[in-house]
Amino acid sequence: MKQEQLESLLRALVSIDGVSGDESRVRDFILAQIEGFCDYEIDALGNVLGSTRGTGEGALLLTAHMDEVGLIVTEVEETGFLRFDTVGGIDARVLPDKRVTIHGVPGVICCKPVHLMKAEEKKKPVQVDGLVIDIGARSREEAERLVARGDMAAFEREYTRFGEAADFVCAPALDDRAGCALLVSLIRAQTAAFRFAFTVQEEVGTRGAYAAAFSLRPAVAVAVETTTAADVSGVEDGKSVARLGGGPVLSFMDRGTIYDRGERQKIAALAEENGIRWQLKRAVAGGNDMAAMHKTAAGARAVAISVPARYLHSPSVVIRLSDLTETGRLLEAYLAAQK
């Protein structure tokens, strides 16, 4: 799997807004990329369910979710400012002063200026209900010509390469557009037969995954995901969960799933045989679509193969392109071993 092609897909995917429940633009892009390489259908929730040509019903299922965390407009004030709530798990502390777009309408999340706060106010934690979005409107009527209650707001689309050999990437929605880029690449490569699901609404409770698993009923399901890398200042090494530059992450347990030991060991052995660096997740934390898939219908053996990522669920998620490429190599080896 070539890094240049993966990065091109990734850059395009993170440029598209796709807050949970509003994934249609991401889905349209993915469909344009895989058209002619597979058979697929779109279910009632908006999941893309399909298979590479000639795939049997008992084949392996790979999944990646199309949605991202974001905001939803709940009220338009008389002043033209927008009240909002979060969609998915966002730490309110990352929100002040961040730029957002609401279907192309730019805005800034704002709060009371620090130089106007009293000492006791500065000590209080940031609360979402104390923030508003400024879209430059001077009245409710002016704002409502541009946006409406129920509209989704996504973080400003920026893509930056930095660090050693520009191997680091900072962008919103890398969770899980990184997985989507990998899955699209595997479908287009046409080197193995497998089934796939691009799911919706993972960030609000793995909702699309329930429907996808009920339809497809896989024996083995693999989440192609990102997972927390806390290899940052102030975090002890033993609590860093995963680290950038360590290669794909295999999970043994998180808050939603106990992963299949046999499949995990098989994948780890394949990594060793193929000279692919890999790491084991060092915490029981987070979750993904497997929380739904492993216990739907007759159940499935669940696996997670993840790209390590810093600052998840923020406007500035960071991964390394080399980790993304190594994850692609491991997925290719795993698919080849199914033959």
Side-chain angles (χ1 to χ4, degrees):
M1 194 172 288
K2 294 183 179 179
Q3 182 171 298
E4 296 81 6
Q5 295 172 343
L6 262 179
E7 192 203 359
S8 177
L9 272 172
L10 184 66
R11 186 187 288 266
L13 280 161
V14 299
S15 73
I16 308 168
D17 295 356
V19 177
S20 301
D22 192 26
E23 302 93 346
S24 61
R25 289 175 296 281
V26 180
R27 182 171 57 247
D28 289 346
F29 175 83
I30 288 172
L31 293 179
Q33 300 303 308
I34 65 175
E35 189 69 46
F37 292 93
C38 59
D39 298 310
Y40 67 84
E41 63 178 350
I42 302 170
D43 71 10
L45 276 180
N47 296 310
V48 179
L49 311 178
S51 63
T52 54
R53 300 275 165 77
T55 304
E57 288 191 3
L60 184 72
L61 175 66
L62 303 184
T63 77
H65 68 88
M66 297 182 287
D67 60 315
E68 64 187 280
V69 297
L71 313 171
I72 187 168
V73 177
T74 58
E75 186 57 82
V76 182
E77 295 187 336
E78 288 285 352
T79 56
F81 291 105
L82 311 179
R83 292 284 172 186
F84 65 88
D85 206 340
T86 55
V87 181
I90 301 177
D91 186 341
R93 293 175 298 176
V94 309
L95 292 176
D97 307 318
K98 298 302 186 296
R99 293 184 293 173
V100 297
T101 57
I102 308 169
H103 299 315
V105 177
V108 178
I109 300 172
C110 54
C111 59
K112 188 175 183 179
V114 66
H115 57 278
L116 297 181
M117 289 183 180
K118 297 178 181 179
E120 58 270 22
E121 288 181 296
K122 295 179 183 179
K123 298 176 183 178
K124 294 180 180 179
V126 175
Q127 300 288 340
V128 171
D129 61 9
L131 305 173
V132 293
I133 299 174
D134 180 358
I135 59 169
R138 293 164 293 181
S139 66
R140 174 179 287 163
E141 291 74 19
E142 187 175 335
E144 287 181 336
R145 287 197 289 269
L146 299 171
V147 300
R149 284 180 292 176
D151 282 351
M152 299 293 188
F155 294 125
E156 178 82 8
R157 317 321 282 182
E158 294 185 29
Y159 184 98
T160 305
R161 288 184 64 170
F162 66 106
E164 182 183 0
D167 190 44
F168 290 74
V169 167
C170 177
L174 287 169
D175 175 18
D176 183 33
R177 305 295 163 72
C180 290
L182 288 164
L183 197 43
V184 167
S185 294
L186 290 168
I187 293 167
R188 290 176 62 91
Q190 293 284 288
T191 57
F194 62 94
R195 291 187 295 167
F196 59 83
F198 293 96
T199 60
V200 298
Q201 300 188 40
E202 189 269 357
E203 298 291 7
V204 290
T206 63
R207 297 173 186 177
Y210 281 105
F214 194 85
S215 294
L216 299 175
R217 306 197 179 204
V220 178
V222 181
V224 183
E225 257 281 17
T226 56
T227 197
T228 303
D231 57 334
V232 296
S233 178
V235 178
E236 299 173 17
D237 181 62
K239 297 181 179 179
S240 62
V241 187
R243 62 184 179 85
L244 267 62
V249 183
L250 302 183
S251 299
F252 51 83
M253 179 179 173
D254 58 32
R255 297 300 182 191
T257 310
I258 299 175
Y259 293 94
D260 187 86
R261 181 187 296 268
E263 287 298 313
R264 172 169 56 82
Q265 291 174 336
K266 181 192 301 182
I267 295 168
L270 284 168
E272 296 291 341
E273 290 169 14
N274 288 275
I276 300 169
R277 65 180 184 272
W278 67 282
Q279 54 189 312
L280 193 63
K281 187 172 179 177
R282 294 187 291 172
V284 177
N288 54 52
D289 274 340
M290 292 303 101
M293 287 199 168
H294 85 277
K295 59 189 179 184
T296 298
R301 301 200 304 278
V303 179
I305 302 176
S306 305
V307 178
R310 294 175 183 162
Y311 325 124
L312 287 172
H313 292 194
S314 81
S316 303
V317 184
V318 172
I319 66 169
R320 293 191 68 163
L321 290 173
S322 53
D323 286 330
L324 183 70
T325 304
E326 288 291 273
T327 304
R329 288 184 61 209
L330 183 54
L331 287 164
E332 288 174 331
Y334 185 45
L335 288 173
Q338 307 302 311
K339 295 178 180 178

